[in-house]
Amino acid sequence: MDDPVKQELLTDLFGKHFRYSVLLCSMANPADADRLAKALVSISKLNHTSLALLNAVIRDEFERTVTRPGSILRGNTIASKMMGSYVQEVGRKYLQDVLAPKIISLLESDVDYELNPERIQLPVTERPGFMQERADELIGFATQLLDHLLSAEVRSRLPSEIRAVSYCVREHARSFGVSEQAASLVGGFVFLRFFVPAVVAPESQCLLPEGVRVSSMHRRNLSLLGKLLQNLANNVLFGAKEEYMVIVNPFIHTNRDRMIEYLEDVCMDPRVAQGSETPWVELTQTAHQMPPSEEIATCDSRHFDLLHRILAQKHTQIHEALSPPPSDPPTQDTAQSPTQTSEETPAPATPTATATVEPASRPEGEGDSVEVQVPTTARGEAPELPPLEAAEENTLALRDFERLMKTLGPYQAPPPSTPSRISPASPMRHEGSPLLSGSASSDNDEKTTRCCPCTIL
């Protein structure tokens, strides 16, 4: 979609109504999951509503899976993919600074951490203590890396956006009655979606310069390291599923308390200690800022085309989801009793007050204000209005949705030759390391793509 008017309309309405994103997360086909997650995150960044959007989709994920606590934020849902896409983007510079040197040191070594007997050529019986030696080497490197990541200096540099999402996960775990899983859910987010993918595939976060290839042995080392860190973050010991990893369980026993303390700390808003009363207010700030046209034009046009296609495919389902439920006909119990007469005095109605709600970012001159009848207190004072996110929000979202679809018109697939945009990669420069002396050329798209596949949106 190259029409700037339609792009601006999609950007505006997806920033105004998170219901669209929440519904698409539950309705979209699995084949569209990865691209949809990136599209929603990219457009929310234009509107400066990324954290509030993630708060909405995470809450919806809890609502849909809270009856199955073991599956909360564990599957490859669009919500989980959005979390991963967002934090890997906002945390890329952090990973390059704090994680890349450690990964490079591992790649420069010739140590093999393999613990699976089926993958080892040398019979274990030929060397007493062979497996324990390898386990100690893996534990030793994992301990060095953990000490580094959990140090006060490195911890203080963790991007605030990652802290905010961690807080969001923890608070929803508490509010939905699964607070005993809060630490493991935060750990699943911080490590499964952020640290471990960069450890297992460092090139995905541009931690390696162009031309550096990871050997099969080093790839396996990174995979075993990622397993160990992830199980520690989940507070889960290795067992029958990967019996050969049981030998490194002492690492989890030794560091589980440190990890729990770290996961609690990353949820904290440093501004609270400086006098702020509400932590991470960005999670509830839903008023979006419409970006300038030239900024919208930098967003990959394929994101807008994908949203148009899915909205067109799911038009009926979205309309039904946003429409108010049909009124139930009166039942015999609620119908007027035949013995009741017109002279009988009905029970006094609950006093109400009419409050006018002006939706944020309503186009000037379009529609009327929404009048909401709310119960009054005994002294006739109306209590504080609930947030505009239930029936009233759906009504506004449905109105804007139909206007949007009328403007967009029928979906037409773009021609195959539509050019794609690739966001510029952040060149890595680590002085003093000959292995990292090269960097991707900003004027060579082909080289940039090979070096940093993560930059393709």
Side-chain angles (χ1 to χ4, degrees):
M1 178 189 294
D2 295 321
D3 186 335
V5 175
K6 294 181 180 180
Q7 291 180 353
E8 289 183 16
L9 184 59
L10 280 167
T11 301
D12 180 45
L13 293 185
F14 270 85
K16 184 189 301 182
H17 301 297
F18 294 157
R19 287 290 291 157
Y20 298 156
S21 299
V22 171
L23 288 173
L24 292 188
C25 286
S26 62
M27 294 179 178
N29 298 325
D32 293 324
D34 287 316
R35 289 182 296 163
L36 178 59
K38 291 181 180 179
L40 294 176
V41 168
S42 296
I43 292 176
S44 71
K45 288 183 64 180
L46 292 175
N47 284 315
H48 305 283
T49 56
S50 297
L51 288 175
L53 172 61
L54 287 174
N55 185 23
V57 298
I58 290 172
R59 177 182 176 82
D60 180 70
E61 181 80 1
F62 270 87
E63 288 179 343
R64 291 189 291 107
T65 59
V66 71
T67 57
R68 297 173 283 113
S71 63
I72 299 176
L73 298 176
R74 298 296 187 189
N76 286 323
T77 63
I78 298 178
S80 297
K81 291 178 181 294
M82 287 176 64
M83 295 165 65
S85 176
Y86 178 69
V87 298
Q88 288 177 23
E89 186 168 343
V90 300
R92 183 173 300 158
K93 180 64 168 57
Y94 172 83
L95 291 175
Q96 292 174 350
D97 291 341
V98 307
L99 191 58
K102 297 295 182 181
I103 299 299
I104 292 302
S105 67
L106 187 150
L107 297 182
E108 291 176 338
S109 71
D110 58 358
V111 179
D112 188 350
Y113 296 148
E114 183 58 71
L115 297 173
N116 189 344
E118 297 180 0
R119 291 173 173 259
I120 299 175
Q121 300 296 326
L122 179 67
V124 177
T125 55
E126 292 187 9
R127 285 188 55 189
F130 174 77
M131 298 300 289
Q132 189 60 56
E133 288 179 8
R134 287 199 166 183
D136 291 342
E137 290 173 340
L138 175 58
I139 290 176
F141 187 86
T143 301
Q144 292 179 23
L145 179 58
L146 189 67
D147 290 344
H148 178 62
L149 295 178
L150 272 57
S151 66
E153 190 272 333
V154 172
R155 187 185 306 195
S156 66
R157 296 160 59 188
L158 188 70
S160 60
E161 295 90 344
I162 296 175
R163 289 179 172 271
V165 179
S166 300
Y167 172 86
C168 175
V169 172
R170 187 193 69 181
E171 293 305 298
H172 283 312
R174 292 176 175 178
S175 64
F176 280 91
V178 289
S179 54
E180 71 281 356
Q181 293 194 46
S184 64
L185 288 172
V186 174
F189 162 64
V190 175
F191 279 81
L192 180 63
R193 305 295 174 187
F194 184 52
F195 282 125
V196 171
V199 169
V200 175
E203 63 275 20
S204 70
Q205 286 299 305
C206 306
L207 303 190
L208 306 178
E210 182 183 7
V212 173
R213 297 292 180 264
V214 181
S215 68
S216 58
M217 182 193 76
H218 287 126
R219 183 71 70 189
R220 179 62 176 169
N221 285 350
L222 294 172
S223 176
L224 294 171
L225 180 62
K227 288 176 182 288
L228 188 52
L229 292 175
Q230 189 59 59
N231 273 42
L232 173 62
N234 291 339
N235 196 14
V236 174
L237 296 173
F238 290 101
K241 184 178 179 180
E242 292 178 303
E243 191 173 355
Y244 64 89
M245 293 291 288
V246 171
I247 195 171
V248 295
N249 276 341
F251 173 81
I252 299 176
H253 284 295
T254 301
N255 295 287
R256 64 187 357 162
D257 290 339
R258 296 174 64 203
M259 178 59 73
I260 292 174
E261 184 275 330
Y262 171 79
L263 295 175
E264 183 66 25
D265 178 72
V266 299
C267 298
M268 304 302 294
D269 187 344
R271 297 170 298 184
V272 173
Q274 301 171 4
S276 176
E277 296 181 359
T278 304
W280 302 120
V281 294
E282 296 87 351
L283 292 168
T284 56
Q285 288 179 342
T286 57
H288 72 295
Q289 303 173 20
M290 190 61 184
S293 301
E294 54 270 20
E295 185 175 345
I296 296 177
T298 64
C299 189
D300 193 332
S301 61
R302 292 174 297 179
H303 293 333
F304 298 103
D305 182 77
L306 176 68
L307 292 180
H308 185 189
R309 174 171 64 81
I310 298 178
L311 289 174
Q313 291 173 344
K314 306 297 181 180
H315 190 157
T316 301
Q317 294 95 314
I318 294 174
H319 183 95
E320 292 175 352
L322 295 176
S323 299
S327 301
D328 295 329
T331 63
Q332 185 175 359
D333 294 335
T334 60
Q336 181 176 347
S337 171
T339 61
Q340 184 178 8
T341 65
S342 60
E343 287 80 10
E344 292 180 347
T345 303
T350 303
T352 61
T354 302
T356 301
V357 179
E358 290 292 347
S361 303
R362 177 191 292 278
E364 186 175 351
E366 291 186 15
D368 298 323
S369 301
V370 179
E371 291 190 346
V372 184
Q373 298 291 332
V374 296
T376 62
T377 62
R379 292 181 295 179
E381 298 175 352
E384 182 179 354
L385 282 172
L388 192 68
E389 58 183 9
E392 297 83 9
E393 167 63 18
N394 282 350
T395 299
L396 296 175
L398 178 59
R399 181 203 66 182
D400 289 343
F401 172 67
E402 294 302 339
R403 290 179 177 176
L404 167 69
M405 298 308 296
K406 183 177 180 180
T407 302
L408 293 180
Y411 173 76
Q412 295 181 350
S417 60
T418 299
S420 62
R421 300 188 184 96
I422 300 178
S423 63
S426 301
M428 278 200 54
R429 300 186 184 277
H430 287 259
E431 296 182 4
S433 175
L435 188 59
L436 292 175
S437 58
S439 61
S441 174
S442 60
D443 58 355
N444 190 323
D445 289 343
E446 183 179 358
K447 290 183 179 180
T448 302
T449 303
R450 290 201 308 269
C451 175
C452 301
C454 57
T455 59
I456 302 178
L457 300 179

